[in-house]
Every structure is written in structure tokens, then in C-alpha cells.
Amino acid sequence: LIPYRALMVPLIAAIPDAMGTCSGEIGQSSVTRTMQYISSLAESFALQPVCIALAMSLGSAAGKSGCTGKWALFVAIGVVVAVARTIAAAFLLSIPKAVAHGGNPGGLGFKPWHAVPCTLLGALPSCVAAVWLFRPTHAAPSGTAAARERQGACEVTGVPLSEIHSL
């Protein structure tokens, strides 16, 4: 899995989208603008990176599998990720936008101010997934450092143990 910072390169195109939200909602109510800002930022910086990471992880596993017809697996992965992103985008943008404009999706009796909590609730799964997927992890040591770690040796100063013992 690549680091989150590396995923920001392909997501540069999402920055104008997030900034364009500001000008696209001029004249709308504060609830509508707030909902739109939250959903735009969550989609740009949580949902899209999570979908990219999901597709990369599943694609990597499919690429390592020894089965024939890997292209079918890659197509299936693309379809699954696209469907998951569409469903998440509906919860993140479409439903809260309908609530903000006075709609009543599902007949639940929402008021327009409920759009912001609905957006936050819709953004929660992708934000939690982004934090979990891109959490810092300790890199496994390699080479001689791995061998020394298995033996129980520890270097605090970065000086090889052999040089310390020869002093």
C-alpha cells in the first residue's frame, strides 16, 4: 500500500473540485453550503484515496494469484470498487443534498438542518477507513538488521556492535 502523501499526486485534480464548491453554492443556505463543503472534502481526501487503496490492494492480491483469467478478476475488482464508491457517494452527497433542499428521502421526516449531521454520518465510514488504511506502521527491518533483531541485538547509536566490542 502506498503512503497517503503519494496518493495526493493523482488527487491534485480534486482540489479545484473542493474549491469550486465554494463558488458553486453562492446564494444557498448556510446548511446547504456546510453540507456541500463537508461532503466535498470528505470525498476528495477520504473516499477517493480509500477507493484507490482498495482497488490497489485487491488488484495486488489478484495479480499474485496463480489462476488463469486474471483479467476477469481485474474487471470484477473495478466493478466492485465502482459500486462501493457510488454507494458511498450517495450517502455522502446525494441523500444529504436532498435533505438540505427540503426533500424527505425514505419518509423519515428530516428537516433541512439535518443535512449536516447526515453528511457527517455519511463521511464517517470513509474517514475511518482512510485513517485505518493509511495509519503509520513500523517498517520491518531487512538484511543484517533483521538477522540481529532475531538474535536479540539492539543498536541505539547506529554504530555496529562489532565496532563497539573492538573498543
Side-chain angles (χ1 to χ4, degrees):
L1 197 62
I2 64 175
Y4 184 78
R5 280 185 277 173
L7 274 177
M8 288 296 103
V9 174
L11 295 176
I12 292 291
I15 293 172
D17 175 51
M19 292 170 48
T21 301
C22 300
S23 63
E25 296 297 325
I26 292 175
Q28 297 291 330
S29 69
S30 61
V31 170
T32 302
R33 286 181 292 168
T34 304
M35 178 274 312
Q36 195 73 22
Y37 299 151
I38 293 169
S39 66
S40 179
L41 291 173
E43 183 177 5
S44 298
F45 301 110
L47 181 60
Q48 288 181 359
V50 165
C51 288
I52 292 171
L54 178 64
M56 288 173 55
S57 296
L58 293 174
S60 175
K64 292 176 185 174
S65 71
C67 67
T68 59
K70 289 182 186 178
W71 65 271
L73 285 174
F74 294 135
V75 169
I77 289 168
V79 168
V80 166
V81 172
V83 167
R85 188 190 182 293
T86 303
I87 291 170
F91 282 106
L92 187 59
L93 181 63
S94 300
I95 294 172
K97 194 171 196 175
V99 171
H101 290 294
N104 197 6
L108 297 173
F110 286 128
K111 305 280 186 248
W113 68 268
H114 288 125
V116 174
C118 286
T119 306
L120 291 171
L121 189 61
L124 184 65
S126 60
C127 291
V128 168
V131 168
W132 184 77
L133 283 172
F134 301 111
R135 71 191 182 281
T137 57
H138 298 290
S142 62
T144 59
R148 283 195 302 270
E149 188 174 291
R150 284 191 295 271
Q151 294 171 356
C154 179
E155 292 184 33
V156 177
T157 61
V159 177
L161 292 174
S162 59
E163 289 181 21
I164 293 174
H165 291 296
S166 65
L167 295 176

